[in-house]
Amino acid sequence: MLAAAQPFVALGAGAGSVPSFSVDTVSSGAEVTWTSVDPLTTPIEAAVVDDGSAACFGNGEHGNGCFDRISSMVGRHNAAAGFTANYNNGVDILGLAVVDHHAWSLPNPNTTSLCVGDAISGATRPTISFTKNADATQCRTAVSGERIVASSQVSIEGQGQDGVQGAFWWSVEENSPVQRTLVGLRQDGTLVVAVVSARKSGVRNGMTLPGAARWLIAHGVVDAIALDGGHQAEAYVDGRGSIVPLQAGEPGVQVSFLLGHTVPAVAPPSVTPTPSPAPAALAAPAVASTPAPARTPAPTPRPRGPVPGTGVLGDIALSRLPESGALPIAGAPGPGGFGGPPPVAPASPAFSMGAAASGAVTGQTAW
């Protein structure tokens, strides 16, 4: 059984607002971990590997073979939760990735972007759209993937490319039940974020792309994309770790989709009053009184810093990650990812890609 979720703090969210994470069983071996996010109260952001270092993005590079863990991205950005985002070809990010109006990768005509604009005021949601014409001017945040829902209908962007060598979406295993990362928009302006996974770690299972699209539509989604998935699929929550079963330990990614902010909690000053000194005794009338001893200054309180697992995310939904892995460089077959090119060693990797323990929890109880 899943343990009760720790509360989170999101900037702009009311005190006591606790997200509801649900787990839907979709087959004997697969489940969907998901929640719903209100962009009015929950910051929606992104992060790129090594926060855009010159080693990974200098000289016109768009990743340069660098990879990072979602847990690191969540920690550096004080986010409440993070998910696998853009696909990659083993070297560079595929599709537009925007962080704070800065584009770290180029748009790709084969992908569709989730574009989150700036909020006009504290009472107005930021503009959110799924588009092929996104740019860093209009998008404060953008991540990109494969369109799978349009106007409440199943609409697979790469349909027919599955298994076709040289095709952009040849490796996403459209009709195989594998892990998926899904982000969809409801008519009321809320986002559904879901990760489709096996029900236990170390296993490859999930949903087909059409099945994932139908699940989203059944949950009120009108437009949606699938982000990277397969063994890359992960949902990581601050203070809890990975909350979905992982196929091969914590993955390395180039872009992460982030939800919420943790708010540093600072301990109130703890000052022990210094008692007032007793008046000095008077000596002979001609002798001045003894000066009172100086007060000892109270110690400066030490901030506690961000407290893991404290606060609110708003109405966040954690969703299933797609089972697609690294995409190929056109026309270059190979064993990398899901049939993509062999992995290219980074010139200066953000970390060494070793095996990592899952730490995921499983179960069917909503929390």
Side-chain angles (χ1 to χ4, degrees):
M1 177 178 291
L2 291 173
Q6 296 293 322
F8 298 99
V9 174
L11 298 181
S17 173
V18 178
S20 175
F21 300 88
S22 297
V23 180
D24 291 359
T25 300
V26 292
S27 71
S28 59
E31 64 190 24
V32 181
T33 303
W34 68 282
T35 186
S36 176
V37 185
D38 187 346
L40 180 62
T41 57
T42 302
I44 299 173
E45 300 177 346
V48 296
V49 56
D50 214 18
D51 287 338
S53 69
C56 303
F57 294 90
N59 299 319
E61 300 290 347
H62 304 293
N64 196 29
C66 302
F67 291 86
D68 205 350
R69 301 196 190 282
I70 296 175
S71 57
S72 297
M73 295 177 170
V74 166
R76 290 198 305 269
H77 291 261
N78 294 318
F83 307 84
T84 305
N86 294 44
Y87 293 86
N88 65 82
N89 60 13
V91 181
D92 292 318
I93 300 167
L94 295 176
L96 183 67
V98 174
V99 179
D100 293 330
H101 290 293
H102 182 94
W104 292 102
S105 57
L106 301 175
N108 186 295
N110 295 285
T111 65
T112 296
S113 300
L114 165 64
C115 173
V116 181
D118 292 302
I120 298 174
S121 70
T124 303
R125 287 188 180 93
T127 300
I128 297 179
S129 62
F130 288 90
T131 176
K132 286 185 170 294
N133 301 311
D135 60 45
T137 301
Q138 61 178 308
C139 307
R140 179 177 52 81
T141 298
V143 295
S144 302
E146 182 180 12
R147 185 74 169 256
I148 61 171
V149 176
S151 302
S152 301
Q153 301 295 316
V154 176
S155 180
I156 311 297
E157 190 161 28
Q159 191 163 22
Q161 297 183 23
D162 191 19
V164 179
Q165 292 285 334
F168 189 86
W169 295 112
W170 76 287
S171 63
V172 297
E173 299 185 86
E174 175 184 329
N175 298 306
S176 298
V178 295
Q179 292 94 323
R180 311 282 175 185
T181 307
L182 312 171
V183 180
L185 180 66
R186 285 173 164 162
Q187 193 69 50
D188 64 2
T190 59
L191 284 177
V192 170
V193 184
V195 176
V196 182
S197 65
R199 294 180 65 188
K200 61 181 181 179
S201 298
V203 175
R204 181 184 181 84
N205 206 336
M207 298 175 74
T208 66
L209 274 182
R214 287 191 291 269
W215 183 92
L216 287 167
I217 293 168
H219 286 75
V221 168
V222 294
D223 291 289
I225 57 175
L227 299 170
D228 198 1
H231 67 278
Q232 298 291 100
E234 183 182 15
Y236 182 94
V237 173
D238 178 65
R240 299 191 61 84
S242 298
I243 63 167
V244 298
L246 300 176
Q247 181 180 332
E250 188 176 4
V253 301
Q254 292 187 314
V255 186
S256 179
F257 183 60
L258 304 177
L259 297 177
H261 284 163
T262 54
V263 176
V266 179
S270 175
V271 179
T272 303
T274 302
S276 299
L282 296 177
V287 178
S289 61
T290 303
R295 291 176 181 268
T296 302
T300 302
R302 178 178 299 175
R304 291 185 301 165
V307 179
T310 59
V312 298
L313 275 179
D315 296 320
I316 293 179
L318 300 180
S319 59
R320 213 53 178 260
L321 305 172
E323 175 69 323
S324 15
L327 287 177
I329 296 175
F338 290 82
V344 178
S348 179
F351 74 92
S352 174
M353 287 292 293
S358 161
V361 290
T362 60
Q364 307 310 312
T365 304
W367 51 283

